[in-house]
Amino acid sequence: MAVSHLKKINPFHTGRHQKRQSDAMFGSKGKKEEETDELNLHVTRYRPEELDKLARTTKFSRKEIQLIYRGFKQECPTGLVDEDAFKAIFAQFFPQGDASQYAHYVFNTIKQNASGQISFEEFLGILSKVSRGSIQEKLQWIFGLYDLNGDGLITKNEMLDVVTSIYEMLGRNTEPQVEENSAKEHVERIFHQIDLNQDGVVTIEELVEWCCRDERILQSLEMLDTVL
Protein backbone atom coordinates (compact mmCIF):
# COMPACT_ATOMS: atom_id res chain seq x y z
CA MET A 1 0.00 0.00 0.00
CA ALA A 2 1.01 3.66 -0.32
CA VAL A 3 0.93 4.51 3.38
CA SER A 4 4.65 5.25 3.70
CA HIS A 5 4.61 7.62 0.72
CA LEU A 6 1.55 9.75 1.51
CA LYS A 7 3.57 12.69 2.79
CA LYS A 8 4.38 13.42 -0.82
CA ILE A 9 0.82 14.60 -1.34
CA ASN A 10 2.16 17.98 -0.19
CA PRO A 11 4.90 18.77 -2.72
CA PHE A 12 4.58 22.52 -2.14
CA HIS A 13 7.50 23.06 0.24
CA THR A 14 8.02 26.58 1.51
CA GLY A 15 10.93 28.90 2.14
CA ARG A 16 11.50 32.34 3.60
CA HIS A 17 11.90 33.90 0.18
CA GLN A 18 8.24 33.06 -0.52
CA LYS A 19 6.86 35.08 2.39
CA ARG A 20 6.27 38.15 0.25
CA GLN A 21 3.87 36.26 -2.02
CA SER A 22 1.79 34.96 0.85
CA ASP A 23 1.65 38.34 2.55
CA ALA A 24 0.48 39.89 -0.70
CA MET A 25 -2.38 37.46 -1.11
CA PHE A 26 -3.55 37.45 2.50
CA GLY A 27 -2.87 41.13 3.18
CA SER A 28 -1.96 44.25 1.26
CA LYS A 29 -0.56 44.37 -2.27
CA GLY A 30 1.87 46.62 -4.03
CA LYS A 31 0.89 48.49 -7.17
CA LYS A 32 2.86 46.16 -9.43
CA GLU A 33 1.23 43.05 -7.93
CA GLU A 34 -2.25 44.53 -8.33
CA GLU A 35 -1.57 45.31 -11.98
CA THR A 36 -0.36 41.74 -12.53
CA ASP A 37 -3.52 40.31 -10.99
CA GLU A 38 -5.70 42.53 -13.15
CA LEU A 39 -4.12 40.94 -16.21
CA ASN A 40 -4.81 37.43 -14.91
CA LEU A 41 -8.50 36.81 -14.27
CA HIS A 42 -7.79 33.33 -12.88
CA VAL A 43 -5.88 34.55 -9.83
CA THR A 44 -7.87 33.93 -6.67
CA ARG A 45 -7.45 36.69 -4.10
CA TYR A 46 -7.30 35.22 -0.62
CA ARG A 47 -8.30 37.83 1.95
CA PRO A 48 -8.06 37.57 5.75
CA GLU A 49 -11.71 36.55 6.06
CA GLU A 50 -11.06 33.72 3.61
CA LEU A 51 -8.08 32.67 5.69
CA ASP A 52 -10.31 32.50 8.76
CA LYS A 53 -12.78 30.34 6.88
CA LEU A 54 -10.06 27.93 5.77
CA ALA A 55 -8.82 27.69 9.35
CA ARG A 56 -12.35 26.81 10.49
CA THR A 57 -12.95 24.17 7.81
CA THR A 58 -9.55 22.44 8.01
CA LYS A 59 -7.31 21.22 10.78
CA PHE A 60 -4.64 23.83 10.07
CA SER A 61 -3.98 27.09 11.90
CA ARG A 62 -3.89 30.45 10.15
CA LYS A 63 -0.07 30.45 10.23
CA GLU A 64 0.14 26.93 8.80
CA ILE A 65 -2.24 27.83 5.98
CA GLN A 66 -0.09 30.84 5.12
CA LEU A 67 3.01 28.63 5.01
CA ILE A 68 1.32 26.08 2.75
CA TYR A 69 -0.03 28.83 0.52
CA ARG A 70 3.43 30.31 -0.02
CA GLY A 71 4.61 27.08 -1.57
CA PHE A 72 1.39 26.64 -3.51
CA LYS A 73 1.57 30.16 -4.92
CA GLN A 74 5.23 29.75 -5.83
CA GLU A 75 4.47 26.70 -7.98
CA CYS A 76 1.01 27.82 -9.15
CA PRO A 77 0.88 31.60 -9.68
CA THR A 78 -2.68 31.49 -11.02
CA GLY A 79 -3.98 29.79 -7.89
CA LEU A 80 -5.07 26.74 -9.92
CA VAL A 81 -3.19 23.55 -10.79
CA ASP A 82 -3.88 21.39 -13.83
CA GLU A 83 -2.72 17.79 -14.09
CA ASP A 84 0.37 18.52 -16.18
CA ALA A 85 1.59 21.06 -13.63
CA PHE A 86 0.84 18.65 -10.79
CA LYS A 87 2.90 15.95 -12.50
CA ALA A 88 5.77 18.37 -13.05
CA ILE A 89 5.80 19.23 -9.34
CA PHE A 90 5.86 15.56 -8.35
CA ALA A 91 8.69 14.92 -10.82
CA GLN A 92 10.90 17.40 -8.94
CA PHE A 93 10.76 15.22 -5.84
CA PHE A 94 11.25 11.88 -7.59
CA PRO A 95 13.95 12.53 -10.20
CA GLN A 96 15.20 8.97 -9.89
CA GLY A 97 11.90 7.53 -11.15
CA ASP A 98 8.77 8.29 -13.14
CA ALA A 99 6.11 9.84 -10.90
CA SER A 100 3.67 10.78 -13.65
CA GLN A 101 1.21 7.92 -13.21
CA TYR A 102 1.13 8.10 -9.42
CA ALA A 103 0.68 11.88 -9.64
CA HIS A 104 -2.27 11.25 -11.98
CA TYR A 105 -3.93 8.99 -9.41
CA VAL A 106 -3.34 11.48 -6.57
CA PHE A 107 -4.60 14.36 -8.71
CA ASN A 108 -7.86 12.51 -9.31
CA THR A 109 -8.44 12.12 -5.55
CA ILE A 110 -8.18 15.90 -5.11
CA LYS A 111 -10.03 17.13 -8.21
CA GLN A 112 -13.66 17.81 -7.33
CA ASN A 113 -15.04 19.12 -10.62
CA ALA A 114 -14.81 18.64 -14.36
CA SER A 115 -12.60 21.68 -14.93
CA GLY A 116 -9.46 19.56 -14.76
CA GLN A 117 -7.91 21.93 -12.23
CA ILE A 118 -7.33 21.96 -8.48
CA SER A 119 -7.88 25.06 -6.38
CA PHE A 120 -5.96 25.88 -3.22
CA GLU A 121 -9.06 25.17 -1.14
CA GLU A 122 -9.42 21.68 -2.64
CA PHE A 123 -5.75 20.91 -2.11
CA LEU A 124 -5.81 22.17 1.47
CA GLY A 125 -8.95 20.20 2.28
CA ILE A 126 -7.44 16.90 1.16
CA LEU A 127 -4.12 17.65 2.83
CA SER A 128 -5.94 18.37 6.08
CA LYS A 129 -7.68 14.99 6.01
CA VAL A 130 -4.58 13.03 5.02
CA SER A 131 -2.18 14.68 7.45
CA ARG A 132 -4.41 15.70 10.36
CA GLY A 133 -7.57 13.62 9.95
CA SER A 134 -8.72 10.58 11.86
CA ILE A 135 -7.56 7.09 10.95
CA GLN A 136 -10.90 6.59 9.21
CA GLU A 137 -10.45 9.76 7.11
CA LYS A 138 -6.93 8.77 6.11
CA LEU A 139 -8.05 5.27 5.13
CA GLN A 140 -10.95 6.73 3.16
CA TRP A 141 -8.45 8.74 1.11
CA ILE A 142 -6.19 5.72 0.58
CA PHE A 143 -9.19 3.67 -0.50
CA GLY A 144 -10.19 6.36 -3.00
CA LEU A 145 -6.65 6.36 -4.38
CA TYR A 146 -6.85 2.65 -5.18
CA ASP A 147 -10.52 2.63 -6.24
CA LEU A 148 -9.67 3.93 -9.69
CA ASN A 149 -13.14 3.70 -11.24
CA GLY A 150 -14.94 4.98 -8.14
CA ASP A 151 -17.32 2.03 -7.80
CA GLY A 152 -16.64 1.53 -4.09
CA LEU A 153 -14.51 -1.58 -4.61
CA ILE A 154 -10.81 -2.22 -5.19
CA THR A 155 -9.99 -4.98 -7.65
CA LYS A 156 -6.65 -6.74 -7.85
CA ASN A 157 -5.94 -5.02 -11.16
CA GLU A 158 -6.62 -1.59 -9.64
CA MET A 159 -4.28 -2.33 -6.76
CA LEU A 160 -1.66 -3.56 -9.21
CA ASP A 161 -1.94 -0.38 -11.28
CA VAL A 162 -1.39 1.87 -8.24
CA VAL A 163 1.38 -0.25 -6.71
CA THR A 164 3.14 -0.34 -10.10
CA SER A 165 2.98 3.46 -10.26
CA ILE A 166 4.57 3.66 -6.80
CA TYR A 167 7.45 1.41 -7.83
CA GLU A 168 7.91 3.47 -10.99
CA MET A 169 7.95 6.66 -8.92
CA LEU A 170 10.53 5.41 -6.42
CA GLY A 171 12.77 4.03 -9.17
CA ARG A 172 16.20 2.90 -8.07
CA ASN A 173 15.62 4.01 -4.47
CA THR A 174 13.30 1.07 -3.81
CA GLU A 175 14.58 -1.50 -1.35
CA PRO A 176 14.85 -4.28 -2.28
CA GLN A 177 15.66 -3.36 -5.86
CA VAL A 178 12.64 -3.41 -8.17
CA GLU A 179 12.43 -6.36 -10.51
CA GLU A 180 10.04 -6.68 -13.43
CA ASN A 181 7.52 -8.67 -11.39
CA SER A 182 8.02 -6.86 -8.05
CA ALA A 183 4.69 -5.00 -8.10
CA LYS A 184 2.72 -8.08 -9.13
CA GLU A 185 4.34 -10.21 -6.44
CA HIS A 186 3.65 -7.55 -3.83
CA VAL A 187 -0.04 -7.35 -4.77
CA GLU A 188 -0.42 -11.12 -4.91
CA ARG A 189 1.04 -11.33 -1.40
CA ILE A 190 -1.25 -8.82 0.29
CA PHE A 191 -4.48 -8.69 -1.74
CA HIS A 192 -5.83 -11.96 -0.37
CA GLN A 193 -4.97 -10.80 3.16
CA ILE A 194 -7.13 -7.69 2.77
CA ASP A 195 -9.90 -9.47 0.84
CA LEU A 196 -11.26 -11.12 3.97
CA ASN A 197 -14.22 -12.91 2.36
CA GLN A 198 -12.17 -13.88 -0.70
CA ASP A 199 -14.72 -12.55 -3.20
CA GLY A 200 -12.07 -10.98 -5.42
CA VAL A 201 -12.62 -7.33 -4.39
CA VAL A 202 -11.72 -5.19 -1.38
CA THR A 203 -14.28 -2.98 0.36
CA ILE A 204 -13.55 0.00 2.59
CA GLU A 205 -14.65 -2.09 5.58
CA GLU A 206 -12.14 -4.82 4.72
CA LEU A 207 -9.36 -2.29 4.26
CA VAL A 208 -10.10 -0.64 7.61
CA GLU A 209 -10.24 -3.99 9.41
CA TRP A 210 -6.97 -5.18 7.85
CA CYS A 211 -5.13 -1.95 8.65
CA CYS A 212 -6.41 -1.83 12.22
CA ARG A 213 -5.01 -5.33 12.85
CA ASP A 214 -1.48 -4.22 11.94
CA GLU A 215 0.15 -1.94 14.49
CA ARG A 216 2.84 -0.89 12.02
CA ILE A 217 0.25 0.43 9.59
CA LEU A 218 -1.55 2.32 12.34
CA GLN A 219 1.74 3.90 13.40
CA SER A 220 2.45 4.88 9.80
CA LEU A 221 -0.97 6.53 9.54
CA GLU A 222 -0.36 8.43 12.80
CA MET A 223 2.94 9.72 11.40
CA LEU A 224 1.33 11.32 8.34
CA ASP A 225 1.14 14.71 10.06
CA THR A 226 2.88 17.07 7.65
CA VAL A 227 5.83 19.00 9.03
CA LEU A 228 5.28 22.65 8.07
Side-chain angles (χ1 to χ4, degrees), residues 28-39 45 47:
S28 61
K29 291 188 176 186
K31 181 178 179 181
K32 183 176 180 180
E33 290 171 311
E34 289 179 347
E35 290 174 351
T36 299
D37 278 0
E38 287 174 3
L39 294 175
R45 300 187 179 190
R47 298 302 188 187

Side-chain angles (χ1 to χ4, degrees), residues 12-77:
F12 304 105
H13 289 272
T14 62
R16 293 190 179 188
H17 66 282
Q18 297 166 347
K19 184 177 186 298
R20 180 183 173 191
Q21 290 178 313
S22 178
D23 291 343
M25 293 307 292
F26 285 109
S28 61
K29 291 188 176 186
K31 181 178 179 181
K32 183 176 180 180
E33 290 171 311
E34 289 179 347
E35 290 174 351
T36 299
D37 278 0
E38 287 174 3
L39 294 175
N40 192 337
L41 299 179
H42 296 291
V43 172
T44 305
R45 300 187 179 190
Y46 295 98
R47 298 302 188 187
E49 60 269 24
E50 189 70 19
L51 177 58
D52 288 335
K53 178 181 178 182
L54 291 173
R56 289 195 304 270
T57 57
T58 68
K59 294 177 173 62
F60 295 120
S61 68
R62 288 169 53 96
K63 183 176 180 180
E64 287 172 332
I65 294 171
Q66 288 175 314
L67 286 170
I68 297 170
Y69 186 73
R70 290 176 201 167
F72 188 91
K73 187 64 176 176
Q74 176 75 9
E75 297 290 345
C76 318

Side-chain angles (χ1 to χ4, degrees), residues 11-189:
F12 304 105
H13 289 272
T14 62
R16 293 190 179 188
H17 66 282
Q18 297 166 347
K19 184 177 186 298
R20 180 183 173 191
Q21 290 178 313
S22 178
D23 291 343
M25 293 307 292
F26 285 109
S28 61
K29 291 188 176 186
K31 181 178 179 181
K32 183 176 180 180
E33 290 171 311
E34 289 179 347
E35 290 174 351
T36 299
D37 278 0
E38 287 174 3
L39 294 175
N40 192 337
L41 299 179
H42 296 291
V43 172
T44 305
R45 300 187 179 190
Y46 295 98
R47 298 302 188 187
E49 60 269 24
E50 189 70 19
L51 177 58
D52 288 335
K53 178 181 178 182
L54 291 173
R56 289 195 304 270
T57 57
T58 68
K59 294 177 173 62
F60 295 120
S61 68
R62 288 169 53 96
K63 183 176 180 180
E64 287 172 332
I65 294 171
Q66 288 175 314
L67 286 170
I68 297 170
Y69 186 73
R70 290 176 201 167
F72 188 91
K73 187 64 176 176
Q74 176 75 9
E75 297 290 345
C76 318
T78 66
L80 296 170
V81 189
D82 62 20
E83 185 169 337
D84 287 341
F86 195 75
K87 288 179 178 179
I89 293 167
F90 258 78
Q92 296 175 29
F93 293 92
F94 298 95
Q96 74 284 353
D98 180 1
S100 59
Q101 192 60 43
Y102 183 72
H104 167 73
Y105 294 144
V106 173
F107 185 86
N108 283 342
T109 70
I110 305 174
K111 184 181 62 177
Q112 297 180 5
N113 54 57
S115 70
Q117 295 178 311
I118 295 172
S119 68
F120 178 67
E121 290 92 340
E122 290 171 333
F123 173 77
L124 190 69
I126 291 295
L127 183 61
S128 174
K129 290 180 180 180
V130 173
S131 65
R132 301 284 173 84
S134 65
I135 295 296
Q136 184 71 27
E137 286 175 318
K138 293 174 182 179
L139 289 175
Q140 284 281 0
W141 183 83
I142 294 171
F143 187 86
L145 177 67
Y146 282 82
D147 179 18
L148 299 181
N149 65 1
D151 66 351
L153 301 169
I154 299 174
T155 66
K156 186 180 291 187
N157 284 337
E158 285 176 320
M159 184 177 290
L160 178 59
D161 286 344
V162 178
V163 171
T164 298
S165 74
I166 293 172
Y167 277 110
E168 290 174 348
M169 175 177 65
L170 297 177
R172 61 177 178 270
N173 282 358
T174 305
E175 292 290 344
Q177 287 294 310
V178 175
E179 304 294 338
E180 185 176 349
N181 293 324
S182 293
K184 185 174 182 180
E185 291 172 358
H186 178 77
V187 171
E188 289 289 348
R189 186 169 62 253

